[in-house]
Amino acid sequence: MSFDPVALRRDFPIFDRTIRDGRRLVYLDSGATSQKPQAVMDAEIDFYRHHNAAVHRGAHQLAEEATDIYEGARLTVAEFLNAEEDEVIFTKSATESLNLVAYAMGNAKVGNRFHLTAGDGIVVTEMEHHANLIPWQQLAERTGALLTWFEVTPEGRLDLSNINSVINEKTKVVALTHQSNVLGTINPLEAIVKRAHEVGAVVVLDACQSVPHMAVDVKALDIDFLAFSGHKALGPTGVGVFWGRGSLLEELPPFLTGGSMIENVTMTGATWAPAPRKFEAGVPNMAQAAGLAAALKYLNAVGLENIHNHEIELTTYLLNKFADIENLRIVGPNNIESRGGSISFTFGDIHPHDLGQFLDSQGIAVRTGHHCAWPLNRKMGVPATTRASLYLYNTHEDCDALVQGILDAEKYFGR
Amino acid sequence: MQLDNLYQEVILDHYKNPQNKVLASDNDAQVHHVNPSCGDEVTLGVKLDGDKIASINWDGVGCSISQASTSIMSDLLIGKSLDEATAISEDFLHLMQSKGSEEGNPDVLEDAVALAGVSKYPARIKCALLGWMAFKDASVQAHSKEEK
Ligand SMILES: Cc1ncc(COP(=O)(O)O)c(C=O)c1O
């Protein structure tokens, strides 16, 4: 069956509604959060309606069923990432996943490979979302480790010319994004992972903007840790994934402690259950995990390659149209080489907030501002941008509406 | 179009022709405020003459709403006493929180009533208040300096 975004849209009930006095919804903000197919909502409702119980705890049928669903979701995620089941940890979001790994490292005692001290290095990039920057800043502050970063070129790519000095013998962690949520740039992981492993550092990948849009195989990428959010991948809010290489999860100390994550507890101490439970304290977000599994199954059924190709086609189409608009500056690569469907831009003197407001009046949803990547905005020399981000349910018609909206905004504010 | 309620002519005029948008070097107090959700920034200085506001001057980057609102505010409050300025600011804040149910009193707010439409767009209220909050901060600092 060929890929048909118009047919797919029918699986997403939100497209039945209209925006601002009857206009067709043109949703170009999937980078912030994706819309949800009915199957995902059904999975959550089904859990609550028929199987609701605390997983791993009750001695009753509902608890068994709930556990089956929850652990089944874990298996679905593992298969989706080509990972082992016990390497998949459910969190509430990518933000929590990234904080988990940073705080867990901070908990490592002397002798543990994750123990950081002054003299150790943490490497990030200038294009990180705040969620993959601040936890590392904080870890550096707490441990005395030195935070350094790869710079971004004016075109919006990582400058790897000094890779061997940025990642050096002292580096313990390299944390970076797979695809920039602002620039759309897809980073070349191979060279970075190779160099990181050469010096004994682990690679933490923020895969928020890649897992929903293209096949991500943790074994093929040879990375060590990965984070993504369910809600950007057609799944519900309140569930994220933290994946870690099995051998590393054994050594990584826990972050949150409490119920369900222990092996034995006395009045003075506790020992930990093996991963994944070591990292899942408390009753987890079960219905949301069920929803995420439904989302990943939906993505599999459509085919990640189809989705990726569709986004590449629409991105190329938009980049070409944008090239013809005078005073429109793309902030990020202006060609399709190693880039995804997140397109940020500025337009003449019209401030992104005003442009976004005008587009909204036409039923077009975009994001404006610094997109939680303030240092990157400064580096690119723009206080704010407008961002259109594409997904499987977007069409050429959506792209045309955006282009028309931009041109109309020029007339509106030029009056 | 409903959008015209937001982008009144007066607002676009102030945006294109902002008033008092040159920072002075002899302010009694100067502050820098940002809107962390969108990155709009304003640096604003206040100079007092006794109890009177002798000068409000500023510089900044931001959307038409934040820039126009700061411009309108500076025009409106220069020459007023601190007490008058506080009362007007409170009126404006009240208007911004009115969710579109009020039009604002033109005798008090003058051009600032053009911003009434902002109150219907929750995401933009902070834009409209950026300069006013900076003024409040700077005027308190300038006043306490004056008292010493
Ligand atoms: C690249 C990137 N990293 C991290 C995050 C944080 O995701 P969440 O807010 O779902 O935790 C986002 C979401 O905006 C993102 O785009």
Side-chain angles (χ1 to χ4, degrees), chain B residues 55-113:
Chain B
S55 167
I56 301 173
N57 51 86
W58 61 284
D59 196 6
V61 288
C63 64
S64 62
I65 304 297
S66 75
Q67 300 292 290
S69 185
T70 307
S71 172
I72 290 170
M73 177 274 298
S74 64
D75 253 3
L76 182 58
L77 300 186
I78 291 172
K80 301 279 194 304
S81 72
L82 280 174
D83 284 347
E84 285 167 335
T86 303
I88 294 169
S89 298
E90 273 167 18
D91 249 39
F92 184 73
L93 182 62
H94 178 76
L95 178 63
M96 286 302 103
Q97 291 166 342
S98 73
K99 300 192 167 127
S101 67
E102 287 181 29
E103 290 172 1
N105 181 353
D107 295 336
V108 178
L109 293 175
E110 299 180 21
D111 274 2
V113 295

Side-chain angles (χ1 to χ4, degrees), chain A residues 224-242:
Chain A
D224 301 295
F225 297 104
L226 169 145
F228 77 93
S229 270
H231 70 91
K232 293 180 201 276
L234 308 186
T237 53
V239 64
V241 167
F242 172 56

